[in-house]
Amino acid sequence: MTQKNTRTGTSQTNDRKTIEKLKRGFAYKLFYQLGVWTQNASLNDYYLAVSHTVRDRMQQLFINTMRAFQQKDSKIVSYLSAEFLMGPHLHNNLVNLGMYDQIAQAAAESGLDLQQIIDHEEEPGLGNGGLGRLAACYLDSLASLQIPAIGYGIRYEFGMFDQEFDNGWQKELSDRWLQPGNPWEFKKADMAVEVGSGGHTERYMDDHGKLRVRWVPGKLVKGIPYDTPILGYRVNTVNMLRLWSAEAPKSFDFAEFNVGDYLGAVHEKMLAETITKVLYPNDEQFKGKELRLYQQYFFVSCSMQDMIRIHLFQFDNLDNFSDKFAVQLNDTHPAIAVPEFMRLLVDVHHYDWDPAWEIVTRTFAYTNHTLLPEALEKWPVAMLGRLLPRHLEIIYEINRRFLDLVRLKYPGDVDVVRRMSMIDESGERYVRMANLACVGGHAINGVAQLHTRLLKEHTLADFHRLWPEKLINITNGVTPRRWMVVSNPRLTELISSAIGEEWITDLKKLRALEPLVEDSSFCEKWQQVKFANKQDICTKFVCEQGPRYNPYALFDVQVKRIHEYKRQHLNLLHIITLYHRMKANPELDTPPRLFIFGGKAAPGYFIAKLIIKLINSVAEVINGDPDVNKRLQVLFIPNYNVQIGHMVYPMADLSEQISLAGKEASGTGNMKFAMNGALTIGTLDGANVEIREEVEPENFFLFGMNVQEARARQVAGYDPQTIYNRNEELQAAINLIATGHFSHGDRELFGPLIDSLLYHDPFMVLADYQAYVDCQQQVGEVFQDPPRWTRMAILNAARMGKFSSDRSISDYCRKIWQVKPFPVALKLQRVPDEGIKFPKRQEIVRT
């Protein structure tokens, strides 16, 4: 029987034997592995049974790939990231395996609903936004392009908090993602490594009469690796995400227990497990900062020790380490890897400084993800010295040698020495991790053309002047497998039926859609897909949220981390302006709109949490006002994550990318929206610039100041209150907030936000307000012309080829890592029923 795969656009023959084997696999896992039977099995039991069955189908490929890693001519990309926001695994693995239809049929014949099982999966919230999601997209592309790779990170017991609303305020709940069980990981307890902290350093003479240093840590913890297979799309490569969990070397102290100190008996265990307990602990207090620093050190130390172990299994020494591993630092969080690798080379493996430094700088490369000075990590010297005394000594020595180079290059220029030093001595002394990362690697990259230009001209200008060839651009990308094939099956099937399936692995082939803008039948089908996706989200949230949303409305969407620089409050001012216009003129000619928000604010970020409260308060008033709620509605989707993104990106008509020019490094939500046929309203910021170039200006709603204009206005003395005084509609919008219209008469509630806008406005919301409102007027006019809107939407999707993470990874491979695809041969090997022959002990290796 041949059947169309609506999830992938492919045709597959459902072999009866395969279906029966899968059904038996479900039953076997349920009974023998989970210890339940069908009469008492829960939905979670069924999810685990199906997932384990699918994982079994990945194992042959996984083992083959791990064997390929052991070949001397393979080069492994090691991606060090404090965040990996992977999203649900089951659906993605089914798509990449090409098994969706088979599993769906086997599930149906077993009395199960595969979609219900997929929806049940608990998402691993191991990231808080774009940084972690980018890392996940890159792992997908590395595997799909057959590049050997290991993603190294932290197995947080509690991921990014779950978000609920309590009277409109954000409420943070523990993300207990591991509680239902994680069927995708393998614990490798026998591959644990030890990581130290505190203590002191000692000088001694080695056997060759050389002065050496040893670190004597005050405490040790064990790092336990948990491996998750990362499947490529329809290839034999299955790479690995290796996450580290902290455990105490001794989990129970019998001596303490026997004298009645029951808490003391498990004290070390509790302290050790705290290290990997929570993603981004609240670092407003000293202890939180210290824990966050040690989290970063813990996972990079584990990872560097792991890479050295793998390397030394194949080679006699570490001289050629950079030929085997290319290590990418995903922002500054893993930058402590630079002194850690030096410590391992110099102190443990007894390399002299200069050859060790040569190995280090050939190995590392650094991705910068921010232009905001406050986001460039700095750690107090006193804290780092107390926690990692040997590493501070090494940083001092790296800095001393580097500054000697700077002085030779720029004689007498004390300012450039001060700026480029790894130690900030302007007040309390700090270690500048971005400077350390810039010096400790052979390449630095920005993540969008504008971002990279601004790094060269401002943020990292001194380093660019010293090393002009070192700083390059690699624009971010996202994987079309998850963000189109998995999340938008209707659009995937429509596109594949029109131009074939090759676009899934070569997104530039979407250009074949361009002629179809003249095909009225195709355009009508495109509109039907969008409408069906909008109906899905209306159906879901009408049950959970209360009001009935209008699928015929313009779906205007802003989903991202809640932060002043993202300017959700600019969006709000437009909504309130529309509301005010409709109240004043009930016959106003404007299309119905549903404004959709999603995102979380950092627990300690008061203004961001106040913005969330204001969004929910505005929604409460507008949605409850019969004068406007047939044409204007607001929805804040709680607990925004990858799973919700699967619904949001396919249904959006308009994508809000409205940060002040020069503040967003790149953005990736802008790419996901455009791939799925949403039009963008945005500033010339981040990757918006390149998206506009690709789709062409007439298919992009541009507003606001560019970088030069914004900076000139700041230099001239920006006064937001003058703008407020001269703009009646802006006054009306802000006054509605200030007079308590959205807070049941409470004039104080939103006072801090109003004061910030009128007297500070650091992200120039008021300066861009009128241009934004005028551009939104243009958006409404175009939306009222469906053929024109559809044409623009198709062209947006068709021209997104540049923004595939496959292209990004290819750029990294060519420009930075110097790696090529290493295809894995499929070696079909049956696991013997008996008579397994084990290798001799010295032949055993664990990758």
Side-chain angles (χ1 to χ4, degrees), residues 178-198:
L178 286 170
Q179 188 176 30
N182 181 7
W184 304 106
E185 66 182 8
F186 298 90
K187 183 178 181 179
K188 303 292 180 67
D190 58 329
M191 296 169 61
V193 297
E194 286 192 337
V195 181
S197 65

Side-chain angles (χ1 to χ4, degrees), residues 510-539:
L510 284 180
R511 284 274 181 176
L513 292 174
E514 289 192 30
L516 296 176
V517 298
E518 309 298 337
D519 183 335
S520 59
S521 174
F522 181 82
C523 291
E524 184 179 350
K525 291 176 183 175
W526 186 280
Q527 293 169 347
Q528 290 169 353
V529 164
K530 180 65 71 174
F531 184 76
N533 290 337
K534 291 163 76 169
Q535 281 184 310
D536 284 348
I537 205 159
C538 288
T539 300

